Amino acid sequence: MKYFSHFIALLSYITAHGQRVISGVVTDSQSGEQLVGVSVKLVNTDIGCVSNKYGFFSTKAPNQKYTLRFSYIGYETQLIDIDLRNDTMLTVQMSESSMLLNETTIRATDNASENAVTGKINIPISRLKAIPTILGESDVFKALSMTPGITIGNEGTANILVRGGTPDQNMILLDDVSVYNVSHLFGIISIFNADAIKNIDVYKAGFPARYGGRISSVIDITMNEGNNKQAKREVSVGMLSSKFLLEGPISIEKTGKSSYMVSLRSSYLTPFLLPQIISFNAGKAENAFNYWMYDLNAKVNYQLKNKGQFFLSMYRGQDFWSAREGTKDLKSIYRLNWGNQTYTARYNKIIKSKIFLKSVLAYSKFDYFIGNSTKDKGKADEYSLNSSLDDITFKTDIDYFYNNKHDFKIGVQNIIRKSNPSFVKITNESIDVSKINQSIWLNELALYAEDNYHPVSWFRSNIGLRFVNYSMNTKSYYTFEPRINLNFLFPNQFQIKGSYTKMNQFIHLLSSNSVGLPNDIWVPATEKVPPQQSEQFSLGFYKSFGNAYEFSVENYYKTYTKLIDYQTGKSFLSALNQSWESIIYQNGIGKSYGSEFFLNKTKGLFTGWVGYTLAYNQRRFDEINDGNWFDANFDRRHYLNITANYTTYDDKFVFSANWVYHTGQPTTVPIAVSGTNKFNLIYGNRNNFRMPDYHRLDVSMSIKGMTKKHRDRTWTFGLYNAYNRKNPYYLDLSGFSQSEAYTTNRRLLQKSVLPIIPSISYNLKLK
């Protein structure tokens, strides 16, 4: 009886002083969309958390009375009083601040569970449109290239390079499914329509274990879910394209619960090219060109009776380009088409108060077509090449908020991939294309676990492990990928972060190196060609000065193995009777390392940042450059970016400018010629010459106002390359042709294609 009374007393104490769970979802009061990264804090305690990617939060506290503070950049801080006698689940609606939204465009994440992650940045879409871009098109990737460690590949291309990696080494996710080509208009703009995007998370290092399949970066893009409060329409007209956005509740009964979003973007260059096309068809012109592109984003968010949420989203985009030339008897037509399509079905469910479930079924397809047909006096000679990649993805994640020191994430992902590097049709029957017209089925199965560990107030960590089984035919590759992120918090808003990550990539991109054209072929890892691998160490120092300034220095060292490259003089299109495995060099290695400096002003009418990167990027193949190290094609030794934004007190005018500078790109040029009547070019080392340095200034001005019908409208005026810098696009060899064999006037001529380009666009919000 004595022991029983002690047990009752202990149980009473635990009950009286035990902990309860506070959880819920944070949404925008106007649109109903979930808010990512909202800080949830119990006032006068060290207890707090941050909402995840789907607006869900969960934390524990002793059962007593509290005041909860919800804070988020650009929104009014909200205070809620609760008496925590039982587990409590809340639905919190936050309103945009009535004050100027003068936060910077680029900000570090405030997510307490992910604050240990190095190299992560977030871009608020609300400020993306203020960044000056070519032809007035808001562009996600152009904005990314204005941050340290991230650069654009070439002038006029949408591909980005992250810490020495190549474009194919970036994992680009759109609503949980991979996108394989990001270029519109030969790379001048990307496929991502800012009107259809809700959130972007970018990882340059410290990749959490839930991500895998690429070795340089992860760019996780989430589409808008639509406004579940009221229907809205928005129209934008620019020099290159027009856009239309439609969103609202699915029905009156579902107002505040379910929603839809449709966004369409289309170019209209064809009407300007039509007179030339008509003249060509009538035999009055020797050539004609045509180009058209479009994007379609759509999403449905439906709340189920069991309080779960079901999402359906899709993206479809395509580019069409054709060139015609010739006479009545001899005509040639050249066509180039490429595009992506993705479809995602996602189910979210809060299971009890500490478990969040997400399941995804998705499909992605990338297709590329290049073709040429010639008619000579009625006789046709045709050639075409199709390349495609199909992914079917299934994944399930579970977030388990165990307590205030541990929250776990576990998951399984499986990708069934059909790779068709090429399917060639050709009227010349003397060429055997059977070796390349073959599809390959692949399977990529991954299991992962993460632990966000926060034992004390001054230390946080994210530790994870990812296991992958990649199989094709009779070959399987098994890989273990450890991930470690550590964050030490010191007084006076000073932090030190460190990370180690190991990554594997089971797909390669063979590029023909034709500047601006997206004629790249995706090929899988096979029995003969193993997957690429990388390891990265990163160490960063971060300091905040009050609430307005941030400064950081990040250092990284990254190694690569199992790289591939074309054999000298080879390309996919020039070896149609050979398999792609037989025309590449294998087992290349690489290394990239550098330091990134970032000074950021986040508050006030004047905001902006300065970023500088010192980087080294090298490769080595036994068959190239006599086996010696050489600077990689996309080595940028120095990269400097200055971005500034100024908003007037009445929020009517927004002025923006950015200046970018980087060291010229390495390239290979001949160093001598041999022979007399017939000569050969003699090349020295690989990438033995650098193009001239690159620099450019972009400026823009936005004027906000109201129409006579009280609709919000915005005029935006911009200048791309404001001082008309002649930046290098490619180098032309003058005096090296066979007809100029005896000349001594041999030169490298710089070719530039993008001069100063003015732009104007108009945006109207219809109610």
Side-chain angles (χ1 to χ4, degrees):
M1 192 68 178
K2 177 181 178 181
Y3 294 106
F4 181 73
S5 62
H6 288 323
F7 175 74
I8 294 298
L10 179 61
L11 184 62
S12 300
Y13 178 85
I14 293 173
T15 303
H17 299 275
Q19 291 193 329
R20 302 300 182 187
V21 178
I22 311 166
S23 61
V25 176
V26 188
T27 64
D28 184 293
S29 62
Q30 296 298 316
S31 67
E33 287 197 299
Q34 288 98 349
L35 297 179
V36 182
V38 175
S39 175
V40 184
K41 182 78 172 178
L42 276 65
V43 178
N44 297 324
T45 74
D46 291 330
I47 301 173
C49 63
V50 170
S51 62
N52 70 4
K53 187 178 177 180
Y54 309 101
F56 176 72
F57 68 91
S58 179
T59 189
K60 278 186 175 182
N63 50 348
Q64 62 187 55
K65 293 182 180 180
Y66 294 98
T67 297
L68 268 70
R69 183 177 68 237
F70 295 84
S71 56
Y72 190 57
I73 293 179
Y75 284 74
E76 298 283 358
T77 298
Q78 187 166 342
L79 300 176
I80 298 177
D81 293 325
I82 62 170
D83 189 353
L84 200 60
R85 296 181 179 179
N86 299 297
D87 290 351
T88 302
M89 183 169 290
L90 304 172
T91 298
V92 182
Q93 296 185 345
M94 299 185 68
S95 301
E96 288 191 23
S97 174
S98 58
M99 300 177 65
L100 290 174
L101 302 181
N102 52 24
E103 71 277 4
T104 188
T105 303
I106 308 297
R107 63 179 174 85
T109 178
D110 293 322
N111 191 329
S113 67
E114 294 201 10
N115 209 22
V117 176
T118 60
K120 181 185 177 184
I121 60 175
N122 177 274
I123 299 181
I125 303 302
S126 60
R127 286 296 182 181
L128 174 62
K129 298 179 182 180
I131 298 178
T133 55
I134 188 170
L135 297 174
E137 288 286 330
S138 299
D139 193 279
V140 170
F141 279 29
K142 294 295 189 296
L144 288 178
S145 70
M146 298 173 192
T147 63
I150 302 178
T151 63
I152 293 293
N154 291 100
E155 168 89 316
T157 64
N159 291 323
I160 63 172
L161 316 169
V162 180
R163 290 188 170 179
T166 54
D168 64 306
Q169 293 170 354
N170 303 315
M171 168 64 76
I172 302 170
L173 299 172
L174 179 63
D175 271 6
D176 294 292
V177 64
S178 294
V179 178
Y180 288 97
N181 187 283
V182 299
S183 296
H184 272 321
L185 195 59
F186 306 102
I188 290 180
I189 61 173
S190 76
I191 65 172
F192 299 109
N193 180 358
D195 290 347
I197 296 176
K198 172 185 175 182
N199 186 69
I200 304 173
D201 287 325
V202 181
Y203 297 85
K204 300 181 293 184
F207 312 104
R210 60 185 176 273
Y211 296 112
R214 298 294 188 276
I215 62 176
S216 280
S217 75
V218 175
I219 303 171
D220 192 351
I221 302 173
T222 304
M223 282 200 294
N224 280 332
E225 297 165 4
N227 190 315
N228 65 21
K229 304 289 186 178
Q230 58 181 321
K232 289 189 175 182
R233 292 172 293 168
E234 188 172 334
V235 177
S236 300
V237 180
M239 297 177 61
L240 176 65
S241 66
S242 290
K243 297 182 287 187
F244 178 73
L245 174 67
L246 179 64
E247 59 180 342
I250 292 177
S251 63
I252 296 178
E253 295 78 11
K254 288 293 182 180
T255 299
K257 296 181 179 180
S258 301
S259 61
Y260 70 91
M261 182 277 296
V262 178
S263 180
L264 176 65
R265 175 174 65 170
S266 178
S267 66
Y268 34 67
L269 296 178
T270 297
F272 299 98
L273 300 171
L274 190 59
Q276 184 74 6
I277 296 174
I278 295 175
S279 297
F280 177 82
N281 292 335
K284 298 180 180 179
E286 294 184 356
N287 54 61
F289 304 91
N290 193 17
Y291 173 81
W292 179 58
M293 71 85 176
Y294 77 90
D295 287 312
L296 174 63
N297 295 78
K299 193 168 186 176
V300 173
N301 166 23
Y302 191 84
Q303 185 167 319
L304 304 174
K305 292 182 179 180
N306 66 352
K307 296 186 179 180
Q309 281 187 298
F310 183 69
F311 300 83
L312 281 174
S313 61
M314 65 86 64
Y315 166 79
R316 189 177 181 95
Q318 199 79 24
D319 288 70
F320 305 89
W321 183 78
S322 65
R324 305 181 182 187
E325 62 181 7
T327 61
K328 182 177 180 180
D329 294 328
L330 179 63
K331 288 186 177 182
S332 179
I333 301 176
Y334 181 83
R335 289 180 294 162
L336 181 63
N337 306 331
W338 68 95
N340 303 271
Q341 50 184 303
T342 68
Y343 305 89
T344 303
R346 186 178 78 234
Y347 175 71
N348 289 355
K349 180 70 168 65
I350 300 174
I351 302 175
K352 295 185 178 180
S353 57
K354 298 191 296 182
I355 301 176
F356 182 85
L357 170 71
K358 181 190 77 172
S359 292
V360 173
L361 179 63
Y363 171 75
S364 173
K365 181 179 180 66
F366 166 68
D367 62 89
Y368 165 78
F369 171 86
I370 182 173
N372 180 65
S373 62
T374 302
K375 291 185 178 180
D376 186 2
K377 297 180 180 180
K379 184 179 179 181
D381 186 12
E382 297 183 3
Y383 157 82
S384 68
L385 180 146
N386 279 93
S387 180
S388 64
L389 203 61
D390 298 76
D391 282 359
I392 299 175
T393 302
F394 170 78
K395 52 186 172 182
T396 294
D397 299 330
I398 293 178
D399 290 357
Y400 178 41
F401 296 83
Y402 178 68
N403 57 32
N404 293 332
K405 294 183 178 180
H406 289 276
D407 65 88
F408 300 97
K409 185 185 289 287
I410 60 174
V412 58
Q413 302 173 359
N414 192 74
I415 301 174
I416 302 173
R417 178 174 297 135
K418 179 186 177 184
S419 175
N420 186 8
S422 70
F423 186 82
V424 175
K425 293 182 179 179
I426 191 167
T427 56
N428 187 347
E429 298 181 357
S430 63
I431 299 179
D432 181 12
V433 295
S434 60
K435 293 183 179 180
I436 60 174
N437 286 353
Q438 297 178 3
S439 298
I440 306 172
W441 287 91
L442 317 150
N443 192 78
E444 185 178 328
L445 173 65
L447 305 173
Y448 74 86
E450 296 179 30
D451 179 15
N452 291 300
Y453 184 42
H454 183 192
V456 290
S457 60
W458 52 269
F459 175 74
R460 293 170 180 154
S461 66
N462 176 280
I463 300 174
L465 179 64
R466 184 181 181 89
F467 167 76
V468 185
N469 175 25
Y470 173 82
S471 58
M472 55 90 61
N473 297 333
T474 59
K475 179 68 174 179
S476 292
Y477 293 96
Y478 299 92
T479 63
F480 288 91
E481 302 175 359
R483 316 288 176 81
I484 301 173
N485 285 275
L486 306 176
N487 183 11
F488 299 89
L489 296 89
F490 297 93
N492 300 320
Q493 298 178 297
F494 177 65
Q495 298 180 52
I496 298 178
K497 300 180 186 180
S499 68
Y500 165 77
T501 56
K502 184 176 182 179
M503 306 282 279
N504 287 269
Q505 180 167 328
F506 305 97
I507 194 167
H508 307 266
L509 187 67
L510 287 176
S511 175
S512 64
N513 298 318
S514 295
V515 175
L517 296 177
N519 47 354
D520 301 326
I521 305 297
W522 288 92
V523 295
T526 64
E527 295 99 327
K528 298 179 180 179
V529 183
Q532 306 175 61
Q533 295 180 346
S534 76
E535 292 184 274
Q536 182 176 180
F537 296 87
S538 183
L539 179 65
F541 305 88
Y542 311 82
K543 179 73 170 72
S544 296
F545 301 90
N547 295 321
Y549 292 91
E550 300 171 347
F551 178 74
S552 66
V553 179
E554 289 193 12
N555 307 282
Y556 66 92
Y557 184 86
K558 184 162 53 173
T559 60
Y560 309 85
T561 57
K562 308 297 177 59
L563 300 177
I564 67 172
D565 198 356
Y566 274 122
Q567 295 177 8
T568 303
K570 295 285 188 178
S571 72
F572 201 90
L573 299 179
S574 65
L576 296 179
N577 60 342
Q578 297 178 314
S579 68
W580 65 269
E581 295 168 307
S582 65
I583 59 173
I584 62 171
Y585 295 132
Q586 298 188 42
N587 297 318
I589 60 175
K591 58 183 177 182
S592 58
Y593 51 95
S595 297
E596 301 167 358
F597 302 83
F598 191 49
L599 176 62
N600 188 10
K601 186 177 186 296
T602 61
K603 293 186 180 298
L605 297 177
F606 177 82
T607 61
W609 65 89
V610 177
Y612 169 73
T613 302
L614 172 64
Y616 296 82
N617 183 7
Q618 296 179 315
R619 298 289 187 270
R620 186 169 73 83
F621 287 80
D622 290 340
E623 302 87 351
I624 300 176
N625 208 45
D626 296 325
N628 296 315
W629 288 95
F630 59 90
D631 291 336
N633 291 351
F634 296 120
D635 178 87
R636 302 284 192 272
R637 192 58 41 82
H638 303 280
Y639 189 88
L640 176 65
N641 178 267
I642 302 174
T643 298
N645 301 293
Y646 179 77
T647 304
T648 57
Y649 281 100
D650 56 5
D651 203 27
K652 183 177 180 180
F653 293 91
V654 178
F655 301 92
S656 300
N658 66 269
W659 184 77
V660 61
Y661 164 88
H662 63 72
T663 306
Q665 174 182 333
T667 188
T668 305
V669 301
I671 60 174
V673 296
S674 64
T676 52
N677 295 329
K678 182 178 181 180
F679 70 86
N680 298 309
L681 300 179
I682 300 175
Y683 291 87
N685 295 330
R686 173 71 68 95
N687 291 342
N688 57 359
F689 184 80
R690 282 188 182 267
M691 293 185 181
D693 292 347
Y694 180 100
H695 54 88
R696 189 191 76 242
L697 173 68
D698 305 329
V699 296
S700 73
M701 178 182 68
S702 295
I703 306 174
K704 301 178 182 180
M706 301 285 288
T707 66
K708 294 181 179 179
K709 295 183 178 181
H710 300 286
R711 294 168 175 170
D712 294 330
R713 60 105 178 114
T714 304
W715 285 98
T716 301
F717 304 88
L719 281 177
Y720 178 88
N721 195 7
Y723 53 78
N724 198 29
R725 161 73 175 177
K726 298 297 191 295
N727 283 305
Y729 193 54
Y730 67 92
L731 299 178
D732 187 32
L733 302 177
S734 175
F736 286 88
S737 67
Q738 187 61 47
S739 61
E740 301 170 302
Y742 297 102
T743 184
T744 58
N745 187 23
R746 298 188 175 95
R747 298 176 297 161
L748 290 175
L749 300 180
Q750 174 184 305
K751 299 295 182 180
S752 304
V753 295
L754 294 179
I756 181 173
I757 301 177
S759 66
I760 181 173
S761 63
Y762 178 74
N763 177 269
L764 178 64
K765 294 183 178 180
L766 307 172
K767 298 181 180 179

